[in-house]
Amino acid sequence: MSEVSAHHADRRELTAAQRNAVAELLRVSPVADELGRRFVRAGHELHLVGGSVRDALLGRLGDDLDFCTDAHPDETLRILKGWAESIWETGREFGTIGAQRAGLRLEITTFRAESYDQVSRNPVVVYGTSLDEDLKRRDFTINAMAVSLPEHRFTDPHGGLDDLSAKVIRTPSTPRESFGDDPLRMLRAARFAAQLRFAVHPDVYTAMTEMAADLDRITAERIRDEFTKLLCGADPITGLRLLVDTGLAERFLPELTGLKLEIDEHAQHKDVYEHTLTVVENAVSFEEDGCDFILRMAALMHDVGKPATKAVGSDGRVSFHHHEVVGARLTKARMKAMRYPKEITAKVTALVALHLRFYGYGRGEWTDSAVRRYVADAGDLLPRLHKLTRSDCTTRNRRKAAQLAADYDALEDRIARIAAEEDLARVRPDLDGNAIMELLGVPPGPVVGRAWKHLKEQRLEHGPLDRDAAEAELLRWARAEGLIA
């Protein structure tokens, strides 16, 4: 690939960025350049653009490439047919045609000049006529750079390269114009701050604060998707602080802002909000294979029940009794409002409900039965519950922190010991439904369910029973219930 040339930028400033860009673009250039030549032969332009150029300059270009062109979708389809290994049109209404070639996912979008009526929740797509027009309507300067194909001309009309070097998030037009067009860009600014560890420009910060209420125009689904990316960023704490400090969180996640009003019961943190951010940070440190959204969201929401359960005793001490129960209810309602899938909501809610269960273990009050119930109630969430519980230990008292860690080590060792003796991952009654029906002489129905539940309780309380003991217990229960003589 030839050296990236400069347009609207100082060649001398490109040296460091060129090394990253050339190394990254060399990998994809056989496909990108071939596609560029096909568009040129058809009388059209093609430019690698947006996040693809940004990531190439950062030395982290992936396998998803974004292009823009003056060709309309029908023309793009004609150019791709016979060349692309597969084609999809799911983004056609937004002017985007997708394709795959040589392991790369390509999205080609017609130049855009989106217009908004300041009321609608989604942009109205209007095709543009030039690259400069397309770049000007983009969200941030770091996403408003292009590499033209196949000649590799670099275009940067808004100083995106300088902002990339300075690690700052700035808009091509004024922030008020940009956010007025699409208020979701305010949330996206916080998301990029979290993903890239960049700072927002002061003008951008001011506009985010003054226009936070405009986020109400955006659908819950679009907000959810941006927030999920923010929470899964490399530095979610920076993004979360931006949301709270600018007032954006109040528009869709007010429980987070509400934590700033509460003082921790141990009086060792400025407030529960700061404690919560520390727990999120700790949870991130426990991840093994990329972002675990369920764990991070549970860490974020684990104490949201505290404001509603705050009480001050006669000794002046603050308590939040049963805040895990209230917090689970609030978490479920908030995630439902944000349109998260039911299965994800259920897992996060369960973790919030269980996050206090461990406390008290160190007093030596837990029987083997309590350990079995802890494992059974957590189910497949047990590894995450381990991480969440450890993350929740943010005390500055080193002796207390060491004791809590030792207590949890002991609990995990105890779980492992009991698991070696019993199948804790599948705690079920010692008799199945068929055996219950046969022994009691009853058909399928509520009686079988009640009997099954009773035997499961016995299994949790006493551990495994052999067949004879299980049958004897079932018959004893049935007599007590008046089901048999």
Side-chain angles (χ1 to χ4, degrees):
M1 174 181 161
S2 62
E3 183 184 62
V4 177
S5 59
H7 177 57
H8 299 311
D10 188 334
R11 280 289 295 273
R12 292 170 298 178
E13 295 177 356
L14 291 177
T15 305
Q18 281 178 334
R19 286 198 294 270
N20 285 329
V22 169
E24 292 295 293
L25 295 176
L26 270 173
R27 178 174 62 84
V28 302
S29 65
V31 171
D33 289 350
E34 186 178 343
L35 184 59
R37 286 190 288 270
R38 290 179 69 88
F39 272 82
V40 169
R41 284 198 298 269
H44 294 290
E45 305 172 25
L46 186 70
H47 313 273
L48 190 68
V49 72
S52 293
V53 176
R54 178 198 71 225
D55 289 344
L57 291 167
L58 290 172
R60 43 187 271 181
L61 182 63
D63 295 330
D64 294 338
L65 306 182
D66 295 323
F67 302 88
C68 66
T69 179
D70 60 336
H72 285 201
D74 285 343
E75 298 165 288
T76 296
L77 280 170
R78 281 195 290 270
I79 294 170
L80 290 173
K81 284 181 178 177
W83 178 82
E85 294 162 1
S86 62
I87 298 173
W88 55 93
E89 302 181 45
T90 51
R92 186 189 181 101
E93 64 177 311
F94 299 107
T96 300
I97 301 296
Q100 183 161 326
R101 171 86 175 189
L104 299 175
R105 287 174 56 88
L106 321 171
E107 288 200 342
I108 303 103
T109 302
T110 305
F111 288 153
R112 298 242 290 264
E114 290 171 343
S115 64
Y116 300 74
D117 61 12
Q118 305 297 312
V119 176
S120 66
R121 293 183 167 198
N122 291 304
V124 177
V125 176
V126 177
Y127 293 145
T129 58
S130 70
L131 176 62
D132 281 352
E133 183 182 18
D134 183 272
L135 296 179
K136 184 178 180 179
R137 65 95 193 165
R138 291 182 178 265
D139 52 7
F140 306 111
T141 59
I142 58 174
N143 297 328
M145 298 176 283
V147 174
S148 301
L149 302 168
E151 67 270 33
H152 306 146
R153 184 181 72 256
F154 180 75
T155 302
D156 180 22
H158 303 289
L161 187 60
D162 289 339
D163 290 339
L164 200 65
S165 177
K167 297 185 176 182
V168 66
I169 297 168
R170 192 169 56 85
T171 54
S173 56
T174 69
R176 293 195 69 86
E177 288 177 317
S178 181
F179 299 156
D181 280 347
D182 186 359
L184 187 68
R185 289 172 176 171
M186 295 185 287
L187 183 52
R188 196 173 292 146
R191 187 251 289 187
F192 279 119
Q195 284 186 330
L196 303 176
R197 300 181 188 272
F198 281 19
V200 297
H201 189 278
D203 292 344
V204 171
Y205 182 93
T206 298
M208 290 168 68
T209 304
E210 293 176 350
M211 302 177 66
D214 285 18
L215 195 63
D216 296 348
R217 291 198 276 126
I218 304 302
T219 62
E221 291 81 1
R222 295 182 72 205
I223 290 174
R224 175 202 64 205
D225 292 346
E226 283 296 330
F227 175 73
T228 300
K229 293 174 184 176
L230 182 156
L231 193 58
C232 279
D235 181 18
I237 307 306
T238 291
L240 292 169
R241 286 192 186 280
L242 267 173
L243 294 182
V244 172
D245 293 347
T246 59
L248 286 168
E250 188 66 29
R251 314 313 304 186
F252 70 95
L253 191 61
E255 293 83 2
L256 179 59
T257 303
L259 294 179
K260 295 194 74 169
L261 305 177
E262 303 302 332
I263 302 299
D264 182 89
E265 65 265 39
H266 307 295
Q268 293 179 338
H269 304 282
K270 286 193 299 184
D271 49 43
V272 179
Y273 169 70
E274 291 294 336
H275 163 73
T276 294
L277 295 184
T278 301
V279 174
V280 173
E281 194 170 34
N282 290 345
V284 172
S285 72
F286 281 114
E287 292 174 343
E288 299 165 2
D289 299 309
C291 173
D292 183 343
F293 172 78
I294 291 171
L295 176 63
R296 293 193 188 194
M297 190 66 177
L300 184 67
M301 302 296 285
H302 80 285
D303 273 351
V304 296
K306 282 189 169 180
T309 57
K310 179 179 179 180
V312 181
S314 58
D315 59 357
R317 289 184 62 82
V318 177
S319 65
F320 302 100
H321 294 306
H322 306 301
H323 76 265
E324 75 281 12
V325 177
V326 175
R329 186 172 68 247
L330 292 173
T331 297
K332 182 178 181 179
R334 179 55 54 196
M335 294 187 70
K336 181 179 179 181
M338 294 177 71
R339 305 291 194 270
Y340 278 102
K342 289 182 179 179
E343 61 272 19
I344 292 177
T345 298
K347 290 179 179 180
V348 175
T349 300
L351 286 171
V352 172
L354 290 168
H355 85 273
L356 278 187
R357 183 77 69 84
F358 159 74
Y359 293 95
Y361 176 80
R363 295 195 296 267
E365 299 171 356
W366 280 33
T367 61
D368 282 357
S369 171
V371 175
R372 291 188 196 98
R373 291 179 187 279
Y374 186 76
V375 173
D377 289 347
D380 61 3
L381 292 174
L382 185 63
R384 287 189 174 106
L385 182 58
H386 287 333
K387 295 174 183 177
L388 178 61
T389 302
R390 290 184 182 276
S391 297
D392 196 22
C393 177
T394 63
T395 177
R396 297 186 182 122
N397 184 318
R398 292 186 179 181
R399 182 192 61 78
K400 184 176 181 181
Q403 184 60 55
L404 285 169
D407 288 346
Y408 209 85
D409 287 343
L411 175 58
E412 290 200 49
D413 289 343
R414 192 170 174 188
I415 289 172
R417 175 183 62 76
I418 297 176
E421 301 168 359
E422 311 170 20
D423 187 5
L424 285 184
R426 293 170 58 89
V427 175
R428 301 179 64 81
D430 297 284
L431 299 176
D432 62 18
N434 290 329
I436 291 170
M437 288 187 289
E438 180 179 352
L439 194 61
L440 298 183
V442 296
V447 169
V448 179
R450 286 164 50 207
W452 190 93
K453 184 176 180 180
H454 173 74
L455 289 176
K456 181 176 180 180
E457 286 296 315
Q458 294 300 305
R459 173 74 166 77
L460 288 169
E461 187 67 29
H462 303 293
L465 301 175
D466 62 30
R467 180 78 182 201
D468 289 344
E471 290 183 355
E473 176 57 32
L474 176 62
L475 292 173
R476 186 202 65 76
W477 172 84
R479 291 189 189 97
E481 292 290 310
L483 298 174
I484 60 175

